[in-house]
Amino acid sequence: MMVRQIGFHAALVLVLTFLPPGRPAFPFQGESIQVRHKARALQPGEVIAFTIRSRERLASVELLAFDKTFPAFATKDTLVWNALVGIDLESRPGSYVARIRAATKSAELAELQYKLVVRPKAFPTRRLTVDEKYVTPPPEVLDRIALETKRVGAILAAVSDGKYWNGRFVSPVPGPVISEFGKRNIINGKPRSPHAGTDFRAQSGTPVRAPNAGRIVLAEDLYFSGNTVIIDHGQGLYSYFAHLSGFAARVGDVVERGDVVGQVGATGRVTGPHLHWSVRLVGTRVDPLSLIAVLGPNKAAY
Ligand SMILES: [Zn+2]
């Protein structure tokens, strides 16, 4: 798989304010907190990795962006915190402000504003032909679909306190990408929601490996995505694998990077065997390849 080399962008801290007003300015004067980010691009569907460095030990850090709150986590060096932020697949291009809120051990609070300019991205369209029951489901499955949508939505919306993942993310199968993230779907001639995952070429039965550590929070047959496994990597980060032929993990299992969680198949709404991998980050739909890119090799600090 091609993973572009990406470098850190220079810090651009626009405004430094204090919350609540009237608190002593020390220790956030000058450049006592530095923020920088890296990403393949600032475009819909991309993951942004932030690094927050402070001269004073911080008790907590959170990052507010795109109307969501993304948790930050301390590295071994407690002067350095990291946070992953997702730009949703359907975010509008434009100028945004990320707010970094930090508290010191002595309960002093600071908010830094960091400008992010999201550039437009043109996603190609793909046309698929599948069994018509997956485009216009028969009335007897509508209740099942509604229930599954609600349950899966609740799972992916939860933000676990713990951070289970560590270090880099790896591809769950060795095969190349055959259908990119974000493509606009025309299925049996009808527009459907965009492709919120990345499809990999793989034969039926190929082991699907956990891209990072986590806990299995769903392992069952769903109407559209067939046999499905969801891994909670912690702090709002999830992997979702669809169309499996079999399961190798159960709800509640704790997995490490590389553990087999199922086998590739062609269940649910598919044109043939492949692996579909989606990533959610605090509810944002992001490209799994952007996660691999920002947390690529030698990113042990995360
Ligand atoms: Zn897919």
Side-chain angles (χ1 to χ4, degrees), residues 56-96:
E56 177 163 338
R57 298 207 185 285
L58 299 174
S60 68
V61 180
E62 62 182 15
L63 209 151
L64 288 70
F66 308 111
D67 298 324
K68 292 176 184 298
T69 301
F70 296 88
F73 47 93
T75 61
K76 280 180 192 163
D77 174 357
T78 50
L79 298 177
V80 180
W81 290 62
N82 290 322
L84 297 179
V85 167
I87 309 175
D88 185 72
L89 171 57
E90 294 186 288
S91 282
R92 290 181 167 279
S95 195
Y96 294 85

Side-chain angles (χ1 to χ4, degrees), residues 11 24 28 34 42 63 74 92 120 165-166 179-180 203 215 219 259 271 286 291:
F28 290 116
Q34 292 185 325
L42 293 180
L63 209 151
R92 290 181 167 279
W165 63 276
N166 242 307
S179 194
E180 290 88 0
Q203 293 184 336
R215 290 161 195 246
D259 286 352
T271 57
V286 292
L291 186 62

Side-chain angles (χ1 to χ4, degrees), residues 10-18 28 30-31 33-37 50 94-100 111-117:
L12 174 65
V13 177
L14 295 179
V15 184
L16 180 60
T17 57
F18 299 92
F28 290 116
E31 295 181 343
I33 293 186
Q34 292 185 325
V35 181
R36 58 182 185 166
H37 82 271
F50 279 90
S95 195
Y96 294 85
V97 173
R99 298 170 197 281
I100 295 103
E111 179 178 296
L112 288 78
Q113 299 187 1
Y114 190 91
K115 189 179 175 188
L116 294 169
V117 178

Side-chain angles (χ1 to χ4, degrees), residues 35-51:
V35 181
R36 58 182 185 166
H37 82 271
K38 63 190 165 83
R40 292 194 303 189
L42 293 180
Q43 285 181 311
E46 295 295 319
V47 174
I48 313 169
F50 279 90
T51 300

Side-chain angles (χ1 to χ4, degrees), residues 110-293:
E111 179 178 296
L112 288 78
Q113 299 187 1
Y114 190 91
K115 189 179 175 188
L116 294 169
V117 178
V118 176
R119 305 206 175 280
K121 183 168 183 176
F123 291 105
T125 296
R126 68 175 188 177
R127 292 169 190 280
L128 304 175
T129 303
V130 300
D131 189 323
E132 185 60 26
K133 73 178 183 179
Y134 292 116
V135 181
T136 309
E140 63 269 22
V141 299
L142 296 180
D143 284 352
R144 177 189 171 186
I145 291 170
L147 187 64
E148 290 176 356
T149 303
K150 195 174 164 190
R151 280 185 53 223
V152 169
I155 288 171
L156 298 177
V159 178
S160 302
D161 288 338
K163 173 177 170 281
Y164 313 133
W165 63 276
N166 242 307
R168 67 198 174 108
F169 274 70
V170 297
S171 187
V173 290
V177 171
I178 50 169
S179 194
E180 290 88 0
F181 173 89
K183 281 186 173 177
R184 273 34 188 173
N185 277 324
I186 307 287
I187 303 180
N188 294 9
K190 300 185 179 84
R192 286 293 179 265
S193 47
H195 190 220
T198 300
D199 290 347
F200 297 82
R201 179 178 295 149
Q203 293 184 336
S204 271
T206 303
V208 176
R209 295 180 184 279
N212 208 315
R215 290 161 195 246
I216 307 293
V217 286
L218 182 136
E220 67 182 70
D221 173 35
L222 303 178
Y223 186 77
F224 287 112
S225 54
N227 292 331
T228 303
V229 168
I230 303 179
I231 304 174
D232 178 3
H233 298 295
Q235 293 197 325
L237 185 59
Y238 292 89
S239 282
Y240 184 115
F241 297 112
H243 315 309
L244 306 178
S245 58
F247 299 102
R250 282 191 266 177
V251 170
D253 286 356
V254 172
V255 295
E256 297 297 326
R257 184 193 301 113
D259 286 352
V260 178
V261 298
Q263 292 84 33
V264 170
T267 54
R269 191 181 72 182
V270 293
T271 57
H274 69 279
L275 178 67
H276 170 102
W277 177 23
S278 292
V279 168
R280 291 291 180 98
L281 175 54
V282 191
T284 60
R285 297 163 295 174
V286 292
D287 185 352
L289 299 188
S290 75
L291 186 62
I292 290 178

